[in-house]
Amino acid sequence: MARSLYHWLWQHEFWLPPGITWEDMQESEDIQYPQPRDLLLSIPFALLLVVVRCAFERAIALPLSTKLGVKDKQKPKAQPNPVLEMFYSRRCKNPKEAELLRLAGQCQLPLRTVERWFRRRRNADRPCLSKKFCEACWRFVFYIISFFTGLAVLHDKPWFWDHRECWTGYPQQPLLPSLFWYYLLELSFYWSLVFTLPFDVKRKDFKEQIVHHAATIFLISFSYCANYIRIGTLVLVIHDASDCFLEPTKIFNYMKWKKTCNSLFMIFSAVFLFSRLLVYPYTVLYNTYYYSMEIFQPFFGYYFVNALLVILQLLHVFWSCLILHMVYKFILQGTMEKDMRSDTEESDKDEEREKLREKEQNGISHFSSTTSSSPTQRNGSGVLSSRTQLTNGHLKER
């Protein structure tokens, strides 16, 4: 069964253009072609990147956050409650009103107290600011390295300047060692993101991130096996260009450097929109859809790789809408809106109202004690003093 599945999966009709078989892709001493087994090296390299990341965040990023004044906000803790904790961990983290009423009855607590407990419990699970800072630092370092590595590898390649060269001699295009290591670096990084996905900062576009990582891994792997490496390197460089500006924008936002953050965000927006909505469709989508047909007829691999590239483009459009909305708010209001992808903490408004109510009550009692203990006039009449203290603590002339 496994052997039949193996032979079915690696039919040359799936991976190679018509008229080309795997026998035509045999290696020699002078010529090497991509081999699917090479992709297995990305798994241990991904685990190595995870170890390097942990060491980098602990030894460099975390101390750097302290020196730059990135402080974690003190979060009020939820009081221990076995019933609510069991419901939170096993059933639902954001219960509806009927469930809150039932839990309040079981615990014999006021409804507002149960609501406050769930708010504090959810906030406790959200990542702290220093964790976000460390994650952004790691990604910034990697994107800078990968982007300039891509430029160093591709600057002297003909297809970097003339995109029709991506298909010259396809699929019998020899694999250069520099392209192999560049591919391996990028694939290992995205595998490492998948491995750390349960522990990374979860944002509102978490599902889109999963789709993005899956599409990227499939695209890199399939393009390697089918020797779409030339077009694949263009995709990687285009993506890394805007990411180099996104991560430092987050870093300065966590540092509360608003002006620098806003300036970098505007630069990132321009680079992202230009590279993902203009350069990517022309350099990649139009290239694979139209130019490739000048060399060979459509086959399964042609449709599959174009489908993956279109999925990436749809994600580009989704994120571009978020970016344009933030830019629109910035132009109107003059201040940068919070990252809509971030899962921000819930404000405990009920608790704030209760504190305000307590302050008002304390002010009223203080006002009463002040008026009752005011000295009487010499004629014995109990007239109030000409100055009375209001509930907000200010004095008013009567």
Side-chain angles (χ1 to χ4, degrees):
M1 183 67 179
R3 180 174 297 180
S4 300
L5 180 62
Y6 177 84
H7 287 297
W8 175 85
L9 178 63
W10 293 105
Q11 296 181 68
H12 61 266
E13 292 85 359
F14 291 164
W15 302 87
L16 302 175
I20 304 295
T21 64
W22 291 117
E23 285 73 17
D24 299 322
M25 303 291 294
Q26 293 296 325
E27 294 182 338
S28 63
E29 296 182 358
D30 300 329
I31 299 177
Q32 292 185 348
Y33 294 112
Q35 299 297 326
R37 62 177 180 271
D38 298 337
L39 298 177
L40 297 176
L41 292 175
S42 63
I43 302 300
F45 272 87
L47 297 176
L48 179 61
L49 282 178
V50 173
V51 175
V52 173
R53 171 183 173 177
C54 294
F56 172 83
E57 291 183 354
R58 289 192 177 186
I60 299 177
L62 190 59
L64 183 63
S65 67
T66 304
K67 292 183 179 180
L68 295 177
V70 178
K71 298 180 180 179
D72 295 330
K73 182 180 178 181
Q74 294 295 330
K75 303 176 184 179
K77 297 182 179 180
Q79 295 296 327
N81 190 307
V83 176
L84 299 181
E85 184 65 35
M86 181 177 296
F87 185 92
Y88 180 86
S89 59
R90 297 184 180 182
R91 293 283 301 278
C92 179
K93 295 183 178 181
N94 196 359
K96 298 181 180 179
E97 185 176 358
E99 294 172 325
L100 289 173
L101 289 173
R102 181 171 56 83
L103 290 171
Q106 291 180 359
C107 300
Q108 296 181 351
L109 294 174
L111 178 61
R112 293 186 181 275
T113 303
V114 177
E115 291 178 344
R116 186 187 308 117
W117 189 94
F118 275 96
R119 278 194 298 271
R120 291 182 173 181
R121 187 65 180 83
R122 287 191 294 267
N123 286 335
D125 283 349
R126 290 185 171 88
C128 56
L129 200 60
S130 60
K131 177 177 175 58
K132 296 179 180 180
F133 180 89
C134 294
E135 180 179 315
C137 285
W138 163 250
R139 297 196 181 196
F140 172 63
V141 170
F142 179 85
Y143 287 137
I144 286 290
I145 294 175
S146 62
F147 177 67
F148 284 101
T149 299
L151 291 181
V153 169
L154 297 177
H155 78 281
D156 59 344
K157 303 299 185 295
W159 65 88
F160 187 70
W161 308 102
D162 183 4
H163 307 318
R164 291 178 183 266
E165 290 292 329
C166 291
W167 311 109
T168 301
Y170 179 82
Q172 295 171 307
Q173 296 170 339
L175 175 63
L176 301 177
S178 58
L179 297 179
F180 167 75
W181 289 109
Y182 178 52
Y183 242 68
L184 185 62
L185 175 66
E186 292 282 356
L187 182 58
S188 301
F189 175 70
Y190 281 102
W191 271 121
S192 70
L193 292 182
V194 172
F195 295 158
T196 59
L197 203 59
F199 313 102
D200 288 342
V201 176
K202 289 182 175 60
R203 305 185 184 276
K204 293 181 180 179
D205 62 344
F206 180 72
K207 295 180 180 179
E208 289 79 4
Q209 286 284 349
I210 295 177
V211 174
H212 175 267
H213 295 341
T216 303
I217 290 174
F218 273 114
L219 182 59
I220 294 176
S221 301
F222 182 84
S223 63
Y224 185 86
C225 295
N227 206 9
Y228 281 108
I229 289 183
R230 293 188 179 183
I231 197 69
T233 53
L234 297 180
V235 175
L236 295 174
V237 169
I238 291 173
H239 279 72
D240 290 340
S242 58
D243 291 334
C244 291
F245 294 97
L246 175 61
E247 301 305 327
T249 302
K250 296 179 183 179
I251 291 174
F252 284 110
N253 181 44
Y254 303 145
M255 293 168 55
K256 308 299 182 184
W257 290 24
K258 295 301 180 183
K259 292 184 178 180
T260 306
C261 173
N262 294 342
S263 300
L264 279 175
F265 180 79
M266 298 304 293
I267 297 175
F268 159 74
S269 302
V271 175
F272 185 94
L273 297 175
F274 178 75
S275 62
R276 305 292 179 93
L277 299 184
L278 294 177
V279 177
Y280 179 85
Y282 173 72
T283 305
V284 177
L285 292 181
Y286 185 76
N287 193 359
T288 56
Y289 179 79
Y290 180 75
Y291 287 158
S292 61
M293 292 297 95
E294 298 178 353
I295 308 299
F296 52 79
Q297 295 298 316
F299 63 105
F300 175 81
Y302 165 82
Y303 294 113
F304 187 71
V305 73
N306 275 282
L308 293 176
L309 293 173
V310 169
I311 291 176
L312 286 182
Q313 182 60 24
L314 293 177
L315 292 173
H316 296 163
V317 173
F318 170 77
W319 285 314
S320 297
C321 292
L322 296 181
I323 293 172
L324 288 173
H325 181 73
M326 295 179 69
V327 172
Y328 176 74
K329 290 288 186 180
F330 175 73
I331 294 175
L332 288 183
Q333 300 177 0
T335 57
M336 188 63 62
E337 190 183 52
K338 290 183 178 180
D339 186 2
M340 290 180 294
R341 297 172 57 225
S342 299
D343 191 9
T344 54
E345 293 184 11
E346 302 171 73
S347 60
D348 207 343
K349 294 182 179 179
D350 290 336
E351 185 175 358
E352 293 174 359
R353 283 195 289 265
E354 289 177 3
K355 290 182 179 179
L356 181 60
R357 193 178 298 113
E358 290 177 358
K359 290 182 179 179
E360 291 177 353
Q361 292 176 355
N362 293 336
I364 292 174
S365 60
H366 183 69
F367 171 76
S368 301
S369 62
T370 303
T371 55
S372 61
S373 61
S374 60
T376 58
Q377 294 181 344
R378 290 182 180 179
N379 57 7
S381 61
V383 182
L384 291 175
S385 174
S386 60
R387 304 178 74 205
T388 58
Q389 185 166 355
L390 299 181
T391 58
N392 58 6
H394 294 286
L395 295 176
K396 180 179 180 182
E397 298 289 344
R398 292 183 59 86

